[in-house]
Amino acid sequence: MTRPLRIGIQLPEVERDVRWPEYLAMAQQAEAAGFDSLWLGDHLLYRNDGQPERAPWEAWTLLAAIAAVTERVALGPLVACVAFHPPAVLAKMASTVDEISNGRLVLGLGAGWNKPEFDGFGLPFDHRASRFAEALPIIVDLVNGKRSTSTGTYSRTDDAVLLPASKRPADRPLPLMIGSEGDRVLELSLPHVHMWNTWFSWFGNTPEGFATLNDKVSAIAERVGRAPGEIERSACVMVLVDPSSTERPAVGDAPPLAGTPEQIANELRLFAEAGADEVILVVNPINEASIAYLAEALAELDR
């Protein structure tokens, strides 16, 4: 039997202080265990939320390193904040990681939401949807091998082009994924992207909640002239492996999946039945022991 949907896993963000040797070990372990993809959050700083200041490593640098030490898994940002970089520069960064990975990058995109990190790093937080609207066509054109000239309010390019050119064939462009539940960002993105992703707290971490949000995305796709079947569906799903762990507190209205590997596999099958092409596991705790435990759930899915 074939796996009913792809299974990815998010590597640590700010759950604890994680250094490169542990990222290296987890990335290679997850690839060997049969996970389909690896993902990193793209954030600069968390503060003023009732917890100590904390931050992950810079996502694109870490993605490049992981791309160099893996061979098979897809990988990407979950999701890249378009407001952190000029859009043409972001496209250049993505093209470089795609080259290092030999065409395994999925370019997840979002408009950003965490105001303290914008303020801390001197980035404008206003008009995020409008900034995203100007940035997206630049990114789409460049990663698809086109040139970009634009004179927007927030973003400008003058015959920008990505060189060296991508080795991707024309019929297999770099996949773009939008991570959003906002109507305006979805309306802007769905005509262009290959995938849509949703965070577990947006749909209550249940297959039924995912199905409802998935229907909304399909309706918006139809409204903007895109066939819903052309857009793959990806869901981040929270999984509790060790009940004693406090690394990632549960969200009150989005209880995590838990149980034996067989029970977790059965729950993941329900997400496939609800329309998910991919599930990205957000794991508590995220460490080598959890990856080994969830590898048993992958084996159950494959049986």
Side-chain angles (χ1 to χ4, degrees), residues 144-213:
N144 282 286
K146 300 178 182 179
R147 293 176 177 267
S148 173
T149 297
S150 63
T151 55
T153 302
Y154 309 106
S155 299
R156 298 184 182 184
T157 53
D158 183 5
D159 198 26
V161 62
L162 297 185
L163 296 173
S166 171
K167 294 183 294 186
R168 283 181 173 272
D171 62 348
R172 196 176 67 85
L174 194 155
L176 299 177
M177 180 178 81
I178 183 63
S180 178
E181 63 171 343
D183 286 14
R184 187 177 178 198
V185 172
L186 289 172
E187 288 170 354
L188 292 167
S189 306
L190 293 181
H192 306 287
V193 300
H194 304 83
M195 302 168 64
W196 162 74
N197 173 264
T198 175
W199 190 244
F200 68 90
S201 62
W202 298 351
F203 61 89
N205 209 48
T206 67
E208 297 80 10
F210 173 79
T212 298
L213 190 53

Side-chain angles (χ1 to χ4, degrees), residues 120-283:
F121 281 77
L123 300 168
F125 190 70
D126 62 326
H127 306 294
R128 281 170 295 136
S130 296
R131 293 176 187 276
F132 184 89
E134 289 189 2
L136 183 63
I138 296 172
I139 295 168
V140 169
D141 281 349
L142 290 175
V143 300
N144 282 286
K146 300 178 182 179
R147 293 176 177 267
S148 173
T149 297
S150 63
T151 55
T153 302
Y154 309 106
S155 299
R156 298 184 182 184
T157 53
D158 183 5
D159 198 26
V161 62
L162 297 185
L163 296 173
S166 171
K167 294 183 294 186
R168 283 181 173 272
D171 62 348
R172 196 176 67 85
L174 194 155
L176 299 177
M177 180 178 81
I178 183 63
S180 178
E181 63 171 343
D183 286 14
R184 187 177 178 198
V185 172
L186 289 172
E187 288 170 354
L188 292 167
S189 306
L190 293 181
H192 306 287
V193 300
H194 304 83
M195 302 168 64
W196 162 74
N197 173 264
T198 175
W199 190 244
F200 68 90
S201 62
W202 298 351
F203 61 89
N205 209 48
T206 67
E208 297 80 10
F210 173 79
T212 298
L213 190 53
N214 193 35
D215 288 343
K216 169 187 169 178
V217 171
S218 293
I220 293 176
E222 290 180 338
R223 191 161 71 234
V224 298
R226 184 78 183 277
E230 295 177 355
I231 303 166
E232 292 194 4
R233 314 304 169 100
S234 170
C236 294
V237 173
M238 178 72 171
V239 178
L240 177 63
V241 171
D242 180 358
S244 68
S245 173
T246 58
E247 274 195 4
R248 186 184 284 270
V251 178
D253 56 354
L257 273 60
T260 66
E262 183 178 8
Q263 289 171 325
I264 291 171
N266 287 336
E267 287 294 319
L268 296 178
R269 289 189 184 97
L270 296 178
F271 278 94
E273 293 173 10
D277 300 292
E278 171 185 61
V279 159
I280 299 171
L281 304 183
V282 181
V283 186

Side-chain angles (χ1 to χ4, degrees), residues 15-213:
E15 293 86 352
R16 63 185 187 282
D17 188 349
V18 179
R19 302 291 165 151
W20 167 244
E22 189 176 359
Y23 278 106
L24 171 61
M26 284 190 286
Q28 293 181 327
Q29 179 193 13
E31 181 171 60
F35 282 91
D36 297 296
S37 56
L38 302 174
W39 302 85
L40 292 173
D42 182 23
H43 285 284
L44 305 173
L45 180 66
Y46 290 96
R47 60 160 54 131
N48 302 332
D49 60 354
Q51 300 185 52
E53 281 188 323
R54 61 213 183 280
W57 298 106
E58 198 282 315
W60 284 101
T61 310
L62 199 54
L63 279 170
I66 292 171
V69 298
T70 54
E71 298 178 354
R72 175 190 58 79
V73 286
L75 66 161
L78 191 67
V79 288
C81 180
V82 169
F84 287 172
H85 307 279
V89 175
L90 178 59
K92 179 78 171 181
M93 294 158 60
S95 176
T96 302
V97 173
D98 195 52
E99 167 69 17
I100 295 169
S101 70
N102 194 27
R104 291 182 284 128
L105 181 71
V106 177
L107 179 50
L109 299 171
W113 58 270
N114 182 27
K115 188 175 187 298
E117 65 188 340
F118 282 76
D119 294 342
F121 281 77
L123 300 168
F125 190 70
D126 62 326
H127 306 294
R128 281 170 295 136
S130 296
R131 293 176 187 276
F132 184 89
E134 289 189 2
L136 183 63
I138 296 172
I139 295 168
V140 169
D141 281 349
L142 290 175
V143 300
N144 282 286
K146 300 178 182 179
R147 293 176 177 267
S148 173
T149 297
S150 63
T151 55
T153 302
Y154 309 106
S155 299
R156 298 184 182 184
T157 53
D158 183 5
D159 198 26
V161 62
L162 297 185
L163 296 173
S166 171
K167 294 183 294 186
R168 283 181 173 272
D171 62 348
R172 196 176 67 85
L174 194 155
L176 299 177
M177 180 178 81
I178 183 63
S180 178
E181 63 171 343
D183 286 14
R184 187 177 178 198
V185 172
L186 289 172
E187 288 170 354
L188 292 167
S189 306
L190 293 181
H192 306 287
V193 300
H194 304 83
M195 302 168 64
W196 162 74
N197 173 264
T198 175
W199 190 244
F200 68 90
S201 62
W202 298 351
F203 61 89
N205 209 48
T206 67
E208 297 80 10
F210 173 79
T212 298
L213 190 53

